[in-house]
Amino acid sequence: MSKDIESHLVESRSFPPNEEFSSNARISSLEQYEEMYKESIESPETFWAKEANDLNWQSDWERVLEWKAPNAKWFVGAKVNIAENCLDRHLTSDRKDKNAIIWEGELGDKRTLTYGELHTEVCKFSNVLLSEGVSVGDRVLLYMPMIPEAVVAMLACARIGAVHSVVFGGFSVDSIVDRLSDCEAKYVVTADGGYRRGKAIALKSNVDQALEKYSGVEKSFVVKRTGAEVPMLTGRDVWWHEVMDEASSSHVAEGFDSEHPLFILYTSGSTGKPKGILHTTGGYMVGTYATCKYVFDMNDDDVYWCTADVGWITGHSYITYGPLLNGVTQVMYEGAPNYPDFSRFWQMVEEYKVSIFYTAPTAIRAFIKAGNDLVTKHDLSSLRLLGTVGEPINPEAWMWYHEVIGGGRCPIVDTWWQTETGAHMVTPIPGAISTKPGTATRPFFGVDAAILDEDGNECPPNAGGKLVIRKPWPSMLRGIYGDEKRFLETYWSDYEGIYCVGDGARKDEDGNIWIVGRLDDVLNVSGHRLGTAEIESALVSHDAVAEAAVVGKPHEIKGQAVVAFVILKGDNNKGDTLVQDLKKHVTSVIGALARPDDLYLVLALPKTRSGKIMRRLLKELVATGEITGNITTLEDPNVINVLKAQVSC
Ligand code: WT7
């Protein structure tokens, strides 16, 4: 495979850390980074114990690390409560009355919660969960809009030792059903709806439909957000505000084992079924805490804003946990970046004096397209640090972010990581490492990143290979929920005892890591992973469809767009609306994120003699209109000519 990994991007622009930034930063020189990095690799236990000691542990660990690949245990034997660390820990200082969350609804409504107030809400909801019978280890599925209650619900689960599984509010009924049944959830937290692009999006009705198919849910807690009329099933559905009104606000956080499961978050893989990535408590806490501290260089006077949704790992690590562990003030926003127009984010940065801003390349591309006027009419001088995540950032988008948003003065941290890694893995340390547009630069502390060839040898500078992590790190996944075999096959089967990331990459002569993209059949649409097999299965579940192949096509804003090739069942006539119907079908099975931009009804697909669909040929075809790749394994070369005539690119 590695011989197919090519990297053609040549980038010579380099931006040394801004001097003013460096002089105030925790890590202020390359030497300091290198020294700390060396210690973190040579003595990881000493390094991580020091970080962990910034936080509260109800009882000490016996050992920092127990590692028997692929299973890691961190802070073995310690008892800890992550919600206590996010909240109670701050109540004895000035932080008690400091804003934890400044929230803005899409329609412009505002709410603030101090650390003290957030603590009260979390204690109350913890008591609600307990009084409704939620026990330690029970799974609670969250299907929420971006409102403070989403954070409250996550922290309350964590506080009582229940395991949350957040499902992004854009996912469909069937996606909820799959996740509910995979993790055997007994409880749901949702809302009557949420606002997105000026419209109230119904959430509870999706949950209700899901609960018709999955009967294991005992209680469903419903936040009133939009005021939409929703049916409440007696005995099962309860209004959040009603139970919260009666709940006590006193709750003592019990310590749980450091390896106690914290959450399950589903992410796409190369086969149809999403993987339930399992994270545990102590290591994840230390990892998200330390990355916020060093990568975002968070300080008490910062106002931080991460524009992700809590339904993704970014929202878990860099909205709910990391920032609160650091006691920072954060902005949380309910809606779309372009509501009422593309100046929304910049107006909010100005109003709340945001100093650290974290978003995705797909959003940056959309802003570029919308025009600079929407940005420049706002005062963005409060910004001191910018971040990106989700996919490789195109150098031109990086330059725009640097100049137009950052006014040329803000370092950009291009953070490479994954749902599985829990926290940043390859990223600039902003006061120490020179950045270059398009590279996530150097490994974070304790991250032993390397690029290997097929035989497990390290690739020479600039040669493409597979990105791997050779040592355990605290916030690493502890497995795929209920599927150890898949865990071993997906991450640990290429090289003995080494975590295989699934991305291709190269390292340049300065040690900067350049991510080339995914190696498996996984698309990256707007910074989110979508399995091609998942979308294919959705298409094939339609009555009219016999077979489907899905590939990604370069897209200006989304990074990749979904393109589907569909073979119909013999007796189907191609009604005018069928293409639209099939696209809609994908939306209803998975969610709008997976909806194909283009969908071709075809008579045959390019296959190998053993019957495997050759997606790389389709991928080339939709990108360039041509096929130059090797077709010697193709069963029927004629198929290509037929497809070429059909495809527009
Ligand atoms: C995959 C992980 C991590 C939160 C968002 C996505 C790609 C992520 C970068 C980056 C290049 C990136 C990788 C990775 N990716 N960040 N800064 N540069 N690629 O989480 O859904 O688990 O996806 O996103 O391909 O493996 P995820």
Side-chain angles (χ1 to χ4, degrees):
M1 176 71 102
S2 58
K3 51 186 171 299
D4 288 333
I5 304 170
E6 286 184 31
S7 174
H8 296 291
L9 197 65
V10 178
E11 180 60 61
S12 51
R13 289 168 288 200
S14 176
F15 298 83
N18 166 326
E19 258 173 51
E20 193 194 327
F21 187 99
S22 287
S23 57
N24 294 308
R26 280 196 184 77
I27 301 176
S28 55
S29 68
L30 187 60
E31 296 68 43
Q32 195 187 347
Y33 157 77
E34 283 178 339
E35 197 180 300
M36 284 175 73
Y37 181 74
K38 187 160 177 273
E39 190 210 343
S40 75
I41 294 294
E42 286 172 1
S43 325
E45 303 194 22
T46 315
F47 181 88
W48 288 113
K50 216 185 291 165
E51 292 306 320
N53 275 324
D54 283 359
L55 299 160
N56 277 355
W57 300 80
Q58 296 194 8
S59 72
D60 259 349
W61 50 86
E62 286 140 31
R63 293 183 58 187
V64 174
L65 170 65
E66 205 176 285
W67 171 235
K68 200 169 167 292
N71 300 306
K73 287 185 181 167
W74 283 90
F75 310 105
V76 187
K79 293 253 184 294
V80 66
N81 190 300
I82 190 171
E84 180 206 318
N85 274 282
C86 289
L87 302 167
D88 310 47
R89 199 166 72 85
H90 307 307
L91 302 187
T92 50
S93 70
D94 288 353
R95 286 183 182 159
K96 179 169 185 247
D97 298 318
K98 168 180 176 172
N99 282 330
I101 297 177
I102 301 175
W103 175 84
E104 199 172 292
E106 199 184 59
L107 305 179
D109 39 340
K110 292 172 192 180
R111 279 166 69 190
T112 55
L113 285 129
T114 62
Y115 273 91
E117 288 162 343
L118 185 60
H119 173 259
T120 302
E121 294 301 297
V122 170
C123 286
K124 280 172 134 185
F125 197 59
S126 299
N127 285 325
V128 167
L129 292 173
L130 290 171
S131 70
E132 296 291 351
V134 181
S135 330
V136 174
D138 279 351
R139 271 79 62 209
V140 181
L141 184 134
L142 273 54
Y143 188 67
M144 307 276 286
M146 280 293 288
I147 54 177
E149 283 79 2
V151 174
V152 172
M154 290 167 85
L155 290 173
C157 287
R159 192 171 180 97
I160 65 161
V163 180
H164 58 71
S165 184
V166 186
V167 176
F168 171 58
F171 278 132
S172 66
V173 174
D174 289 350
S175 303
I176 305 172
V177 176
D178 288 348
R179 287 156 177 78
L180 281 168
S181 40
D182 189 75
C183 74
E184 299 176 278
K186 283 211 278 187
Y187 304 90
V188 170
V189 187
T190 186
D192 54 357
Y195 291 100
R196 190 88 192 165
R197 290 197 184 88
K199 284 204 299 248
I201 307 288
L203 293 169
K204 181 167 192 298
S205 70
N206 283 358
V207 169
D208 289 350
Q209 291 171 57
L211 297 187
E212 279 167 24
K213 299 186 185 166
Y214 171 81
S215 57
V217 166
E218 291 173 11
K219 278 274 164 340
S220 171
F221 302 93
V222 187
V223 178
K224 193 177 262 228
R225 163 65 187 136
T226 61
E229 213 34 67
V230 291
M232 298 291 280
L233 187 70
T234 314
R236 187 194 69 192
D237 299 347
V238 291
W239 283 111
W240 171 286
H241 59 272
E242 287 179 6
V243 284
M244 286 291 272
D245 268 356
E246 287 160 21
S248 152
S249 59
S250 78
H251 179 269
V252 178
E254 180 192 337
F256 297 100
D257 190 276
S258 175
E259 284 299 331
H260 184 67
L262 177 63
F263 65 84
I264 298 165
L265 182 61
Y266 287 86
T267 188
S268 294
S270 55
T271 66
K273 197 173 164 240
K275 303 177 281 199
I277 303 301
L278 177 70
H279 282 284
T280 60
T281 309
Y284 176 82
M285 175 175 85
V286 175
T288 53
Y289 166 75
T291 46
C292 279
K293 173 174 152 191
Y294 293 121
V295 178
F296 292 137
D297 192 43
M298 278 183 186
N299 285 303
D300 255 316
D301 50 4
D302 273 314
V303 178
Y304 162 84
W305 183 13
C306 165
T307 68
D309 190 283
V310 286
W312 310 112
I313 190 69
T314 310
H316 284 58
S317 302
Y318 298 110
I319 293 179
T320 301
Y321 292 106
L324 298 179
L325 286 165
N326 280 273
V328 84
T329 293
Q330 74 176 310
V331 171
M332 182 178 184
Y333 171 55
E334 177 187 37
N338 58 345
Y339 189 82
D341 65 38
F342 272 109
S343 66
R344 183 63 181 264
F345 279 11
W346 318 121
Q347 174 244 312
M348 285 177 63
V349 167
E350 177 173 2
E351 176 167 353
Y352 301 116
K353 302 206 167 25
V354 172
S355 57
I356 307 173
F357 181 75
Y358 192 33
T359 196
T362 181
I364 297 170
R365 290 190 294 265
F367 292 125
I368 297 175
K369 209 166 167 215
N372 293 6
D373 294 351
L374 295 168
V375 182
T376 49
K377 67 178 182 189
H378 293 288
D379 173 8
L380 305 185
S381 59
S382 57
L383 289 170
R384 66 178 195 96
L385 178 65
L386 302 173
T388 81
V389 59
E391 58 179 309
I393 179 165
N394 332 70
E396 291 329 301
W398 194 103
M399 287 306 298
W400 183 88
Y401 198 29
H402 176 71
E403 284 163 8
V404 181
I405 303 301
R409 75 185 174 277
C410 305
I412 296 179
V413 288
D414 173 357
T415 59
W416 177 89
W417 59 297
Q418 310 177 290
T419 304
E420 292 87 340
T421 69
H424 301 152
M425 298 294 279
V426 179
T427 171
I429 298 293
I433 295 177
S434 293
T435 53
K436 280 186 177 185
T439 170
T441 73
R442 309 276 287 260
F444 185 70
F445 303 127
V447 175
D448 185 17
I451 314 241
L452 302 185
D453 68 15
E454 239 8 62
D455 305 320
N457 301 314
E458 246 188 278
C459 294
N462 293 317
K466 292 183 183 178
L467 178 61
V468 299
I469 316 292
R470 295 181 293 203
K471 279 186 190 318
W473 64 101
S475 63
M476 70 194 287
L477 78 168
R478 301 300 197 268
I480 295 178
Y481 190 74
D483 201 343
E484 200 194 342
K485 188 164 159 267
R486 194 169 175 199
F487 173 59
L488 299 176
E489 275 168 9
T490 311
Y491 307 108
W492 304 95
S493 62
D494 285 13
Y495 313 102
E496 181 78 35
I498 290 180
Y499 174 79
C500 208
V501 153
D503 284 356
R506 71 177 165 95
K507 211 187 255 188
D508 67 20
E509 41 290 284
D510 301 325
N512 294 312
I513 293 172
W514 299 75
I515 306 290
V516 182
R518 301 286 308 169
L519 297 167
D520 48 18
D521 288 329
V522 172
L523 306 181
N524 192 323
V525 178
S526 303
H528 300 297
R529 269 199 269 178
L530 290 174
T532 53
E534 231 175 302
I535 307 171
E536 287 164 4
S537 306
L539 285 163
V540 175
S541 73
H542 189 283
D543 278 347
V545 175
E547 198 173 8
V550 163
V551 294
K553 166 181 171 171
H555 184 280
E556 211 189 330
I557 309 283
K558 295 193 268 195
Q560 276 187 303
V562 177
V563 181
F565 293 84
V566 171
I567 301 179
L568 296 177
K569 284 181 184 157
D571 55 357
N572 261 290
N573 79 47
K574 303 180 184 179
D576 288 349
T577 61
L578 189 58
V579 167
Q580 286 312 318
D581 290 350
L582 292 175
K583 289 183 180 180
K584 260 194 228 148
H585 182 69
V586 174
T587 305
S588 74
V589 176
I590 304 177
L593 200 65
R595 186 178 193 275
D597 275 29
D598 302 326
L599 190 147
Y600 300 103
L601 301 175
V602 298
L603 293 172
L605 290 166
K607 288 189 180 172
T608 62
R609 282 177 194 88
S610 64
K612 283 206 178 86
I613 299 172
M614 296 179 74
R615 289 184 189 73
R616 69 175 167 84
L617 300 184
L618 295 173
K619 201 173 158 187
E620 189 189 354
L621 183 66
V622 298
T624 65
E626 291 299 326
I627 288 183
T628 56
N630 187 321
I631 56 164
T632 51
T633 52
L634 192 64
E635 189 199 33
D636 175 9
N638 216 4
V639 170
I640 293 296
N641 294 326
V642 179
L643 288 177
K644 250 193 193 162
Q646 245 182 309
V647 168
S648 59
C649 63

